[in-house]
Coordinates of all heavy atoms in Angstrom, one line a residue:
K235 N -6.8 19.2 16.9 CA -5.5 18.6 17.3 C -5.2 19.0 18.7 O -5.4 20.2 19.0 CB -4.4 18.9 16.3 CG -4.6 18.6 14.9 CD -3.5 19.1 14.0 CE -3.7 18.7 12.6 NZ -2.6 19.2 11.7
P236 N -4.7 18.2 19.6 CA -4.2 16.9 19.4 C -5.2 15.8 19.9 O -4.8 14.8 20.4 CB -2.9 16.8 20.2 CG -3.2 17.7 21.4 CD -4.2 18.8 20.9
N237 N -6.5 16.1 19.8 CA -7.5 15.1 20.1 C -7.2 13.8 19.4 O -7.1 13.8 18.1 CB -8.9 15.6 19.8 CG -10.0 14.6 20.1 OD1 -9.7 13.4 20.3 ND2 -11.2 15.0 20.1
P238 N -7.0 12.7 20.0 CA -6.7 11.4 19.3 C -7.7 11.1 18.2 O -7.4 10.4 17.2 CB -6.6 10.3 20.4 CG -7.1 10.9 21.6 CD -7.0 12.4 21.5
A239 N -8.9 11.5 18.4 CA -10.0 11.2 17.5 C -9.7 11.8 16.1 O -10.1 11.2 15.0 CB -11.3 11.7 18.0
V240 N -9.0 12.9 16.1 CA -8.7 13.6 14.7 C -7.7 12.8 14.0 O -7.8 12.7 12.7 CB -8.3 15.1 14.9 CG1 -9.4 15.8 15.7 CG2 -7.0 15.3 15.5
Y241 N -6.8 12.1 14.6 CA -5.8 11.3 13.9 C -6.4 10.0 13.4 O -6.2 9.6 12.3 CB -4.6 11.0 14.8 CG -3.9 12.3 15.3 CD1 -4.1 12.8 16.6 CD2 -3.1 13.1 14.5 CE1 -3.6 14.0 17.0 CE2 -2.6 14.3 14.9 CZ -2.8 14.7 16.2 OH -2.3 15.9 16.6
A242 N -7.3 9.5 14.2 CA -8.0 8.3 13.7 C -8.9 8.7 12.6 O -9.0 7.9 11.6 CB -8.9 7.7 14.9
Y243 N -9.5 9.9 12.6 CA -10.3 10.3 11.5 C -9.5 10.5 10.2 O -10.0 10.1 9.1 CB -11.0 11.7 11.9 CG -11.9 12.3 10.8 CD1 -13.0 11.6 10.4 CD2 -11.5 13.5 10.2 CE1 -13.8 12.2 9.4 CE2 -12.3 14.0 9.2 CZ -13.4 13.4 8.8 OH -14.2 13.9 7.8
F244 N -8.3 11.0 10.4 CA -7.4 11.2 9.2 C -7.2 9.8 8.5 O -7.3 9.7 7.3 CB -6.1 11.8 9.6 CG -5.1 11.8 8.5 CD1 -5.2 12.8 7.5 CD2 -4.1 10.8 8.3 CE1 -4.3 12.9 6.4 CE2 -3.3 10.9 7.2 CZ -3.3 11.9 6.3
L245 N -7.0 8.8 9.3 CA -6.7 7.4 8.8 C -8.0 6.9 8.0 O -7.9 6.4 6.9 CB -6.3 6.5 9.9 CG -5.0 6.8 10.6 CD1 -4.8 5.7 11.7 CD2 -3.8 6.8 9.6
R246 N -9.1 7.1 8.7 CA -10.4 6.6 8.1 C -10.6 7.4 6.8 O -10.9 6.8 5.7 CB -11.6 6.9 9.0 CG -11.7 6.0 10.2 CD -13.1 5.9 10.8 NE -13.6 7.3 11.2 CZ -13.3 8.0 12.2 NH1 -12.4 7.5 13.1 NH2 -13.9 9.1 12.5
K247 N -10.5 8.7 6.8 CA -10.8 9.6 5.7 C -9.9 9.3 4.5 O -10.3 9.3 3.3 CB -10.7 11.0 6.1 CG -11.3 12.0 5.1 CD -12.8 12.3 5.4 CE -13.4 13.2 4.3 NZ -12.8 14.6 4.3
T248 N -8.7 8.9 4.8 CA -7.7 8.7 3.7 C -7.6 7.2 3.4 O -6.7 6.8 2.6 CB -6.3 9.2 4.1 OG1 -5.8 8.6 5.2 CG2 -6.4 10.8 4.3
K249 N -8.4 6.4 4.1 CA -8.3 4.9 4.0 C -6.9 4.4 4.1 O -6.4 3.5 3.4 CB -8.9 4.4 2.6 CG -10.4 4.8 2.4 CD -10.9 4.3 1.1 CE -12.4 4.5 1.0 NZ -12.8 5.9 1.2
A250 N -6.2 4.9 5.2 CA -4.9 4.5 5.5 C -4.9 3.7 6.8 O -5.9 3.7 7.5 CB -3.9 5.7 5.6
T251 N -3.7 3.2 7.1 CA -3.6 2.5 8.4 C -2.4 3.1 9.2 O -1.5 3.7 8.6 CB -3.4 1.0 8.2 OG1 -2.2 0.8 7.4 CG2 -4.5 0.3 7.6
N252 N -2.3 2.9 10.5 CA -1.2 3.5 11.2 C 0.1 3.1 10.7 O 1.1 3.9 10.8 CB -1.3 2.9 12.7 CG -2.0 3.9 13.6 OD1 -2.1 5.1 13.3 ND2 -2.5 3.5 14.7
D253 N 0.3 1.9 10.1 CA 1.6 1.5 9.6 C 1.9 2.0 8.2 O 2.9 1.7 7.6 CB 1.9 0.0 9.8 CG 0.9 -0.8 8.9 OD1 0.0 -0.2 8.2 OD2 0.9 -2.0 9.0
S254 N 0.9 2.7 7.6 CA 1.2 3.2 6.3 C 0.9 4.7 6.2 O 0.8 5.3 5.1 CB 0.2 2.5 5.3 OG -1.1 2.9 5.5
A255 N 0.9 5.4 7.3 CA 0.6 6.8 7.3 C 1.5 7.6 8.2 O 1.9 7.1 9.3 CB -0.9 7.0 7.7
W256 N 1.8 8.8 7.9 CA 2.7 9.7 8.6 C 2.0 11.0 8.8 O 1.3 11.5 7.8 CB 4.0 9.9 7.9 CG 5.0 8.8 7.9 CD1 4.8 7.6 7.3 CD2 6.2 8.8 8.6 NE1 5.9 6.8 7.6 CE2 6.8 7.5 8.3 CE3 7.0 9.7 9.3 CZ2 8.1 7.1 8.8 CZ3 8.2 9.3 9.8 CH2 8.8 8.1 9.5
L257 N 2.2 11.6 10.0 CA 1.9 13.1 10.1 C 3.2 13.8 9.9 O 4.3 13.4 10.4 CB 1.4 13.4 11.5 CG 1.2 14.9 11.8 CD1 -0.1 15.4 11.2 CD2 1.4 15.2 13.2
I258 N 3.1 14.9 9.1 CA 4.3 15.8 8.9 C 3.9 17.2 9.5 O 3.0 17.8 9.0 CB 4.6 15.9 7.4 CG1 4.5 14.6 6.7 CG2 5.9 16.6 7.2 CD1 5.4 13.5 7.1
S259 N 4.6 17.6 10.6 CA 4.2 18.8 11.2 C 5.4 19.5 11.9 O 6.3 18.9 12.4 CB 3.1 18.5 12.3 OG 2.7 19.7 12.9
S260 N 5.3 20.9 11.9 CA 6.3 21.7 12.6 C 5.9 22.0 14.0 O 6.6 22.5 14.8 CB 6.5 23.0 11.9 OG 5.3 23.8 12.0
N261 N 4.7 21.5 14.4 CA 4.1 21.8 15.7 C 4.3 20.6 16.6 O 3.6 19.6 16.4 CB 2.6 22.2 15.5 CG 2.4 23.5 14.7 OD1 2.9 24.5 15.1 ND2 1.9 23.3 13.5
P262 N 5.2 20.8 17.6 CA 5.4 19.7 18.5 C 4.2 19.1 19.1 O 4.0 17.9 19.3 CB 6.3 20.3 19.6 CG 7.1 21.3 18.8 CD 6.1 21.9 17.9
F263 N 3.2 20.0 19.4 CA 1.9 19.4 20.1 C 1.2 18.5 19.1 O 0.6 17.5 19.5 CB 1.0 20.6 20.5 CG 0.2 21.2 19.3 CD1 -1.0 20.6 18.9 CD2 0.6 22.3 18.7 CE1 -1.8 21.2 17.9 CE2 -0.1 22.8 17.6 CZ -1.3 22.3 17.2
D264 N 1.4 18.7 17.8 CA 0.7 17.9 16.8 C 1.5 16.6 16.6 O 0.9 15.6 16.6 CB 0.7 18.8 15.5 CG -0.2 18.2 14.4 OD1 -1.0 17.3 14.7 OD2 0.0 18.7 13.3
V265 N 2.8 16.7 16.6 CA 3.6 15.5 16.5 C 3.4 14.6 17.6 O 3.2 13.4 17.5 CB 5.1 15.9 16.3 CG1 6.0 14.7 16.4 CG2 5.4 16.7 15.0
I266 N 3.4 15.1 18.8 CA 3.2 14.3 20.1 C 1.8 13.7 20.1 O 1.6 12.6 20.4 CB 3.5 15.2 21.3 CG1 5.0 15.5 21.4 CG2 3.0 14.5 22.6 CD1 5.3 16.5 22.5
G267 N 0.8 14.5 19.6 CA -0.5 14.0 19.5 C -0.6 12.8 18.6 O -1.2 11.8 18.9
A268 N 0.0 12.9 17.4 CA 0.0 11.8 16.4 C 0.7 10.6 16.9 O 0.2 9.5 16.8 CB 0.6 12.3 15.1
R269 N 1.9 10.8 17.5 CA 2.7 9.7 18.0 C 1.9 9.0 19.2 O 1.8 7.8 19.2 CB 4.0 10.1 18.6 CG 5.0 10.7 17.5 CD 5.5 9.6 16.6 NE 6.4 8.7 17.3 CZ 6.3 7.3 17.2 NH1 5.3 6.8 16.4 NH2 7.1 6.5 17.8
S270 N 1.2 9.8 20.0 CA 0.5 9.3 21.1 C -0.8 8.5 20.6 O -1.2 7.5 21.3 CB 0.0 10.4 22.0 OG -0.8 10.0 23.1
A271 N -1.2 8.9 19.4 CA -2.4 8.1 18.8 C -1.9 7.0 18.0 O -2.7 6.3 17.3 CB -3.2 9.1 17.9
G272 N -0.6 6.7 18.0 CA -0.1 5.5 17.3 C 0.4 5.7 15.9 O 0.7 4.8 15.1
M273 N 0.5 7.0 15.4 CA 0.9 7.3 14.0 C 2.4 7.5 14.0 O 3.0 7.9 15.0 CB 0.2 8.5 13.5 CG -1.2 8.3 13.0 SD -1.9 9.8 12.3 CE -1.0 9.9 10.7
Y274 N 3.1 7.3 12.9 CA 4.4 7.8 12.6 C 4.3 9.3 12.5 O 3.3 9.8 12.0 CB 5.0 7.2 11.3 CG 5.2 5.7 11.4 CD1 4.5 4.9 10.4 CD2 6.0 5.1 12.3 CE1 4.7 3.5 10.4 CE2 6.2 3.7 12.3 CZ 5.5 2.9 11.3 OH 5.6 1.6 11.3
A275 N 5.3 10.0 12.8 CA 5.3 11.5 12.7 C 6.7 12.1 12.5 O 7.6 11.7 13.2 CB 4.6 12.1 14.0
A276 N 6.8 13.0 11.5 CA 8.0 13.7 11.3 C 7.9 15.1 11.8 O 6.9 15.8 11.5 CB 8.3 13.7 9.8
W277 N 8.8 15.5 12.6 CA 8.8 16.9 13.1 C 9.7 17.8 12.1 O 10.9 17.4 11.9 CB 9.4 17.0 14.5 CG 9.4 18.4 15.1 CD1 8.4 19.3 14.9 CD2 10.4 19.1 15.8 NE1 8.7 20.5 15.5 CE2 9.9 20.4 16.1 CE3 11.7 18.7 16.3 CZ2 10.7 21.3 16.8 CZ3 12.4 19.6 17.0 CH2 11.9 20.9 17.3
V278 N 9.1 18.8 11.6 CA 9.8 19.7 10.7 C 10.2 20.9 11.6 O 9.4 21.7 12.0 CB 8.9 20.2 9.6 CG1 9.7 21.0 8.6 CG2 8.2 19.1 8.9
Q279 N 11.5 20.9 12.0 CA 12.0 21.9 12.9 C 12.3 23.2 12.0 O 13.4 23.4 11.5 CB 13.3 21.5 13.6 CG 13.8 22.5 14.6 CD 14.9 22.0 15.5 OE1 15.4 20.9 15.3 NE2 15.4 22.8 16.4
R280 N 11.3 24.0 11.9 CA 11.3 25.2 11.0 C 12.3 26.3 11.6 O 12.6 27.2 10.8 CB 9.9 25.8 10.8 CG 9.0 25.0 9.9 CD 9.4 25.1 8.5 NE 8.5 24.5 7.5 CZ 8.9 24.2 6.3 NH1 10.2 24.4 6.0 NH2 8.1 23.7 5.4
S281 N 12.6 26.2 12.8 CA 13.5 27.2 13.4 C 14.5 26.5 14.3 O 14.1 25.6 15.1 CB 12.7 28.3 14.2 OG 13.5 28.8 15.2
Q282 N 15.8 26.9 14.3 CA 16.8 26.4 15.2 C 16.4 26.6 16.6 O 16.7 25.8 17.5 CB 18.2 27.0 14.9 CG 18.9 26.3 13.7 CD 19.0 24.8 13.8 OE1 19.3 24.3 14.9 NE2 18.5 24.1 12.8
A283 N 15.6 27.7 16.9 CA 15.3 28.0 18.2 C 14.1 27.2 18.7 O 13.8 27.2 19.9 CB 14.9 29.5 18.3
A284 N 13.4 26.5 17.8 CA 12.3 25.7 18.2 C 12.7 24.6 19.2 O 13.7 23.9 18.9 CB 11.6 25.1 17.0
V285 N 11.9 24.4 20.2 CA 12.2 23.4 21.2 C 11.1 22.3 21.2 O 9.9 22.7 21.1 CB 12.2 24.0 22.7 CG1 12.4 22.9 23.7 CG2 13.3 25.0 22.7
F286 N 11.5 21.0 21.1 CA 10.5 20.0 21.1 C 10.2 19.6 22.6 O 11.1 19.4 23.4 CB 11.0 18.7 20.4 CG 9.9 17.7 20.1 CD1 9.2 17.8 18.9 CD2 9.6 16.7 20.9 CE1 8.2 17.0 18.6 CE2 8.6 15.8 20.7 CZ 7.9 15.9 19.4
D287 N 8.9 19.6 22.9 CA 8.5 19.4 24.4 C 9.1 18.2 25.0 O 9.1 17.1 24.4 CB 7.0 19.3 24.5 CG 6.3 20.5 23.9 OD1 6.3 21.6 24.5 OD2 5.7 20.4 22.8

Side-chain angles (χ1 to χ4, degrees):
K235 299 174 176 180
N237 179 343
V240 305
Y241 302 102
Y243 178 65
F244 175 78
L245 296 178
R246 287 199 308 278
K247 192 89 185 294
T248 61
K249 297 182 175 53
T251 54
N252 262 339
D253 60 2
S254 68
W256 287 65
L257 173 81
I258 316 300
S259 183
S260 68
N261 297 294
F263 79 86
D264 193 10
V265 172
I266 291 172
R269 294 290 293 132
S270 177
M273 281 182 74
Y274 297 120
W277 181 43
V278 189
Q279 186 175 0
R280 285 287 187 201
S281 152
Q282 277 309 311
V285 174
F286 196 88
D287 303 288

